[in-house]
């Protein structure tokens, strides 16, 4: 399996050799229990999930159902208590050390002593990229999230939504093949959100990135994804996996089509069922 | 007008002060000013003093010239009154009577009124605002000095108990070479060397403690123990180890400054929150990269806290340590010998030098702190 680590575009590797070469994330019977002061919390239970190269997977579910925890397990920020997980065919830790992914946190987590530009440059400094390369990537990604002109501002001089956009630019600047995004657009207004959704979709279509995306918005999930994972809480587990047959090239108008509404309906049903577990 | 009525519904301090001044000036008018003999020349001077204070207060009450010019006039009048009071009382040391004290209190109240008015200047430009923020504490200190001067001479307090500021000032300017030599010995050598070595080594130790976790349990309690050692016990031992000259005092300063710096730096290094650290983790950042790019910047407010505390501790330590054996120079040495000779004004001159040096040192560290931690919520305001 490890021999396939860097071979994401080796076409000659047969699909049946264990893991598929295109398999970015492979989760089997994964569980995670937090031991807290007042008893164990079953954040994740018996998760089985496969994500292929180029997938756009959305996770949706009621608050506290383990979406963030699942993303953190993939990013090696949390260790599962049972089950198996591989990222790019290797353990999450190895994948993290290979800088295989970019992570957008639920909050912006910018460093307040750095300007916006140097916040975006932070991962690039750690990767020891050259100065010119850093400058080029910072400019390009700030442009992408519409923050050109704010390079020399400090995070505390920006609105919450602008901070969140800067943190997205920071994750994109790493140019990872795998993007883990935890409610990245939660703090933004509808229009900006639509705009960034389109930008993200374009970027994804252009670069064949794999995206794992947490959201609370059904239209956002349906609009963006090739696969929608509906989770339900207590214990956090997968309730439904919906493969979307919408075309890869989409515009915002697609939200009016019957197929779109059909998928949205199915997601809503799943969410309702998830919520009913809470009572 | 409406805003004024709002503020008047509470206690209107300026109005109260103005009436208070008028009342005291009336007392001053009808009570004896100095006890046994009364010189002719004092009459015009004090009556002038009375008149201007009264005008200053009544003017405010009548609402006449209630603007910046009026406020400045009040300041000038107060200064003139204070100067007149100091001048007359120096001719009658120890003879001040009720009328004089009433005028003194009136002058003090009008200084208060002046500061009260200054504080209410809402200015558009940032520089004037900053200037006012500097002027107010300066005026406060000046008022204290003037009161000290008037009370000590007026009540005839013996010099050994408390010399007047003017006497201390005279002593100070007449012994500049001695004071400079003492300053160099104690501050420029012992304090600065001890401070730099103490804070620097504590900083490095903190990083070591952070890197090697078991040291935290071993070293921190020992550091705690050392910091709890009484300086009075440590200083003679340091003198035995490092001799009479400044290195033994620097050693005392090191012992005093080490622990606050160590504890603060260790606390500061764990000040980053888990999301900030997770972020570094997702970049596969190494220990030193995380230290330099995240944890040290986050620790800066803590580190500067220690540097500020230590700036005053170091001076105290060096001065007290000199009580236990020095060559015949140094601020602590001078204080202990001049007290023995009843030269209290020299002791006060040394205290003044120490106070100024200590404040400047502290202020310098605070200015650097503002530059370095500009991003911190407590600074960016
Ligand atoms: N470090 C932790 N220690 C203990 N319990 C935790 C910890 N992190 C998460 N949990 C628990 O795990 C469960 C899942 O949390 P998680 O943050 O993954 O939810 P979420 O789906 O991301 O919710 P939201 O939509 O509100 O962000 C919750 O019940 C939470 O209380
Ligand atoms: Mg979450």
């Amino acid at each position: 399996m490890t021999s396939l680590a860097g071979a994401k575009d080796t076409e000659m590797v047969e699909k049946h050799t264990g893991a598929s070469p295109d398999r970015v994330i492979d989760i089997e019977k994964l569980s995670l229990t937090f031991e807290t002061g007042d008893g164990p919390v079953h954040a994740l239970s018996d998760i089985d999930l496969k994500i292929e190269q180029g997938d756009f997977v959305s996770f949706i579910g009621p608050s506290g159902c383990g979406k963030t925890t699942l993303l953190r397990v993939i990013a090696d920020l949390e260790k599962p208590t049972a089950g198996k997980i591989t990222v790019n065919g290797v353990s999450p830790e190895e994948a993290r050390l290979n800088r295989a992914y970019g992570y957008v946190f639920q909050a912006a987590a910018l460093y307040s002593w750095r300007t916006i530009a140097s916040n975006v440059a932070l991962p690039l400094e750690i990767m020891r990229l050259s100065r010119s390369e850093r400058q080029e990537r910072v400019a390009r990604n700030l442009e992408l999230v519409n923050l050109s002109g704010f390079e020399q501002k400090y995070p505390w001089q920006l609105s919450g939504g602008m901070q969140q956009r800067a943190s997205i630019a920071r994750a994109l600047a790493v140019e990872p093949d795998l993007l883990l995004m935890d409610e990245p657009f939660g703090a933004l207004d509808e229009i900006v959100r639509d705009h960034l959704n389109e930008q993200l979709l374009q970027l994804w279509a252009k670069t064949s990135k794999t995206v794992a995306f947490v959201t609370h918005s059904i239209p956002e999930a349906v609009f963006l994804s090739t696969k929608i994972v509906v989770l339900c809480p207590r214990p956090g587990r997968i309730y439904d996996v919906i493969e979307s047959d919408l075309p890869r090239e989409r515009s915002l108008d697609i939200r009016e089509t019957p197929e779109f509404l059909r998928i949205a309906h199915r997601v809503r049903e799943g969410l309702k069922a998830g919520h009913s577990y809470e009572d | 007008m409406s805003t004024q009525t709002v503020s008047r519904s509470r206690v209107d301090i300026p109005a109260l002060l103005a009436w208070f001044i008028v009342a005291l000036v009336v007392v001053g008018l009808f009570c004896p000013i100095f006890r046994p003999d009364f010189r002719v020349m004092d009459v015009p001077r004090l009556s002038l003093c009375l008149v201007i204070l009264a005008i200053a207060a009544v003017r405010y009450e009548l609402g006449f010239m209630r603007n910046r010019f009026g406020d400045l006039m009040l300041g000038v009048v107060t200064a003139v009154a204070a100067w007149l009071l100091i001048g007359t009382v120096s001719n009658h040391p120890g003879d001040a009577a009720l009328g004089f004290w009433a005028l003194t209190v009136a002058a003090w109240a009008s200084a208060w009124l002046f500061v009260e008015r200054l504080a209410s200047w809402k200015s558009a430009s940032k520089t004037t605002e900053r200037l006012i923020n500097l002027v107010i504490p300066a005026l406060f200190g000046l008022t204290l000095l003037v009161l000290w001067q008037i009370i000590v001479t007026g009540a005839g307090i013996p010099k050994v108990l408390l010399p007047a500021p003017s006497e201390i000032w005279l002593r100070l300017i007449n012994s500049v070479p001695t004071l400079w030599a003492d300053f160099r010995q104690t501050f420029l050598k012992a304090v600065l060397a001890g401070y730099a070595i103490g804070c620097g080594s504590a900083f490095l130790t903190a990083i070591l403690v952070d890197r090697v976790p078991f040291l935290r349990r071993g070293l921190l309690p020992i550091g705690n123990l050392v910091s709890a050692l009484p300086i009075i016990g440590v200083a003679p031992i340091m003198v035995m180890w490092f001799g009479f000259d400044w290195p033994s005092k620097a050693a005392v300063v090191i012992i005093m400054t080490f622990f606050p710096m160590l504890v603060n730096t260790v606390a500061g290094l764990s000040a980053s929150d888990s999301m900030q650290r997770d972020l570094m983790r997702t970049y596969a950042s190494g220990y030193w990269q995380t230290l330099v790019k995240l944890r040290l910047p986050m620790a800066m407010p803590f580190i500067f806290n220690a540097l500020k505390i230590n700036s005053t501790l170091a001076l105290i330590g060096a001065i007290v340590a000199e009580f236990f054996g020095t060559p015949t120079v140094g601020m602590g040495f001078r204080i202990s010998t001049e007290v023995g000779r009843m030269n209290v004004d020299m002791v006060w001159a040394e205290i003044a030098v120490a106070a100024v040096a200590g404040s400047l040192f502290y202020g310098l560290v605070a200015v650097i702190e503002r530059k370095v931690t500009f991003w911190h919520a407590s600074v960016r305001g």
Side-chain angles (χ1 to χ4, degrees):
Chain A
M1 288 226 302
T2 31
S3 63
L4 305 176
K8 37 186 184 296
D9 41 24
T10 21
E11 264 129 49
M12 48 266 183
V13 181
E14 299 296 306
K15 286 245 173 190
H16 58 259
T17 55
S20 140
D22 289 342
R23 180 139 309 157
V24 177
I25 296 170
D26 195 337
I27 300 176
E28 259 178 61
K29 297 220 173 315
L30 181 131
S31 297
L32 194 157
T33 309
F34 289 110
E35 296 300 338
T36 62
D38 35 39
V41 175
H42 299 284
L44 295 173
S45 148
D46 231 5
I47 305 281
D48 274 299
L49 184 69
K50 317 234 170 308
I51 298 179
E52 311 290 331
Q53 167 78 39
D55 274 352
F56 197 123
V57 182
S58 285
F59 296 91
I60 194 163
S63 184
C65 67
K67 305 181 293 292
T68 300
T69 308
L70 183 54
L71 227 53
R72 287 173 61 84
V73 169
I74 298 171
D76 187 39
L77 297 175
E78 217 78 73
K79 294 263 182 259
T81 40
K84 278 204 305 202
I85 171 169
T86 59
V87 177
N88 287 339
V90 295
S91 72
E93 179 172 12
E94 249 176 280
R96 176 174 65 82
L97 294 177
N98 291 339
R99 300 192 175 111
Y101 63 82
Y103 196 113
V104 180
F105 286 85
Q106 210 164 339
L110 299 167
Y111 291 175
S112 36
W113 54 91
R114 285 174 165 254
T115 61
I116 294 300
S118 79
N119 259 295
V120 175
L122 172 72
L124 312 179
E125 285 170 21
I126 291 170
M127 292 158 68
R128 301 189 199 288
L129 297 187
S130 73
R131 172 180 270 277
S132 57
E133 172 80 10
R134 290 200 308 251
Q135 280 169 346
E136 192 270 323
R137 287 200 196 183
V138 168
R140 180 152 41 84
N141 287 290
L142 281 179
E143 167 98 64
L144 199 70
V145 296
N146 274 335
L147 278 180
S148 305
F150 292 94
E151 286 87 353
Q152 296 316 315
K153 291 264 186 260
Y154 286 92
W156 30 274
Q157 297 170 323
L158 265 56
S159 74
M162 292 161 101
Q163 292 179 19
Q164 188 61 14
R165 267 144 60 197
S167 87
I168 294 167
R170 181 180 59 190
L172 293 178
V174 179
E175 298 186 352
D177 288 328
L178 173 61
L179 261 177
L180 307 174
M181 307 178 90
D182 193 354
E183 293 184 44
F185 308 141
L188 307 177
D189 71 70
E190 202 80 357
I191 305 297
V192 177
R193 197 180 178 132
D194 280 351
H195 171 76
L196 286 177
N197 276 343
E198 276 188 305
Q199 294 276 313
L200 182 60
L201 213 50
Q202 274 172 22
L203 187 84
W204 168 72
K206 245 192 331 216
T207 56
S208 75
K209 283 186 196 306
T210 311
V211 185
F213 188 93
V214 174
T215 179
H216 275 293
S217 156
I218 297 174
E220 186 173 69
V222 181
F223 176 64
L224 292 171
S225 318
T226 57
K227 186 192 264 198
I228 301 162
V229 179
V230 183
L231 294 151
C232 64
R234 263 165 289 262
R237 64 204 181 281
I238 295 179
Y239 178 82
D240 196 4
V241 179
I242 304 160
E243 302 281 347
S244 164
D245 42 16
L246 297 174
R248 276 181 91 95
E249 299 283 328
R250 321 168 180 182
S251 68
L252 285 167
D253 311 328
I254 204 172
R255 291 186 294 191
E256 317 296 332
T257 63
E259 302 91 89
F260 185 95
L261 295 174
R262 191 176 47 73
I263 299 172
H265 180 72
R266 191 168 152 198
V267 175
R268 184 175 304 275
E269 289 302 307
L271 271 181
K272 267 193 207 153
H275 268 289
S276 67
Y277 282 100
E278 290 195 276
D279 318 310
Chain B
M1 279 311 277
S2 58
T3 52
Q4 270 201 346
T5 43
V6 169
S7 66
R8 267 178 190 261
S9 65
R10 297 222 198 133
V11 186
D12 186 352
I13 291 180
L16 274 182
L17 280 173
W19 281 118
F20 186 54
I21 295 169
V22 174
L24 287 168
V25 167
V26 171
V27 173
L29 209 54
F30 292 107
C31 291
I33 298 222
F34 295 115
R35 237 163 289 147
D37 62 329
F38 196 86
R39 279 185 221 169
V40 185
M41 269 314 287
D42 291 332
V43 180
R45 295 173 88 172
L46 282 180
S47 52
L48 182 64
C49 164
L50 286 167
V51 168
I52 52 184
L53 274 178
I55 290 175
V58 172
R59 168 203 63 85
Y60 181 80
E61 256 323 291
L62 293 180
F64 173 62
M65 278 210 310
R66 226 183 246 190
N67 52 23
R68 291 193 180 182
F69 181 71
D71 293 341
L72 280 181
M73 284 306 295
L74 176 66
V76 172
V77 161
T78 310
V80 172
W83 184 72
L84 286 173
L85 285 169
I86 291 175
T88 43
V89 80
S90 63
N91 297 329
H92 306 270
D95 290 340
L98 183 61
F100 180 81
W101 294 126
L103 286 182
T104 305
V105 177
W108 166 73
S110 83
W112 184 357
L113 179 58
F114 177 54
V115 169
E116 192 76 42
R117 295 296 301 161
L118 266 190
S120 75
W121 283 18
K122 287 184 194 71
S123 84
S125 89
K126 250 213 160 107
T127 40
T128 25
E129 199 175 300
R130 209 172 282 166
L131 203 68
I132 287 177
N133 282 346
L134 279 180
V135 164
I136 288 178
L139 279 178
F140 191 80
L142 195 67
T143 310
L144 278 184
L145 280 180
V146 168
L147 285 178
W148 176 357
Q149 176 76 32
I150 293 177
I151 292 172
V152 165
T153 28
I157 292 171
K159 199 169 146 185
V160 258
L161 282 189
L162 185 65
S166 60
E167 290 167 321
I168 297 171
W169 175 249
L170 267 182
R171 167 59 66 193
L172 200 114
I173 52 173
N174 286 330
S175 10
V176 170
T178 319
L179 289 170
W180 170 249
D182 292 345
F183 176 76
R184 213 178 46 184
Q185 170 76 11
T186 305
F187 194 89
L188 296 186
K189 288 180 185 165
V191 170
L192 286 189
Y195 182 82
I197 298 174
C199 293
S201 60
F203 177 80
L204 295 179
T205 311
I207 289 181
L208 197 70
V209 165
D210 179 72
R211 192 83 179 104
V212 191
F214 81 86
L215 282 183
R216 182 187 295 251
R217 261 166 279 145
L219 252 172
L220 282 188
I222 292 178
N224 200 340
L225 189 82
V226 171
S227 83
L229 295 178
I231 178 181
I232 308 220
V234 174
I237 294 172
M238 290 302 124
V239 171
M240 287 205 285
W241 285 2
F242 298 105
F244 277 103
D245 211 346
W246 65 269
S248 59
K249 282 77 206 172
V252 172
V253 172
I254 292 173
I255 290 175
M256 287 186 78
T257 55
F258 186 83
F259 191 66
M261 183 70 177
L262 177 65
V263 172
N264 271 285
T265 310
V266 167
L269 284 176
S270 51
S272 56
D273 64 49
S274 62
M275 196 182 285
Q276 292 174 317
R277 283 197 302 270
D278 282 347
L279 185 72
M280 284 306 209
R281 210 172 133 84
T282 68
Y283 301 144
S285 154
Y287 173 83
W288 294 107
Q289 280 178 318
T290 309
L291 185 73
V292 171
K293 295 199 188 297
L294 168 64
R295 300 174 67 216
L296 278 183
M298 282 301 280
M300 278 307 158
F302 291 79
I303 291 174
F304 272 100
N305 226 0
L307 289 177
K308 286 195 292 192
I309 295 171
N310 280 347
S311 70
T312 46
L313 271 185
L315 191 56
I316 296 172
I319 290 178
V320 173
E322 285 182 359
F323 285 28
F324 300 93
T326 48
T328 57
V329 63
M331 298 165 84
F333 163 81
R334 195 74 55 208
I335 290 173
S336 59
T337 50
E338 298 296 327
V339 159
R341 291 191 201 151
M342 299 293 234
N343 279 339
V344 189
D345 50 356
M346 188 60 182
V347 175
W348 280 94
E350 290 282 1
I351 290 175
V353 172
V356 169
S359 311
L360 287 182
F361 192 18
Y362 184 95
L364 181 72
V365 178
V367 165
I368 299 174
E369 178 188 29
R370 285 186 75 87
K371 290 267 175 286
V372 173
T373 64
F374 68 95
W375 50 272
H376 195 252
S378 65
V379 177
R380 71 193 188 222

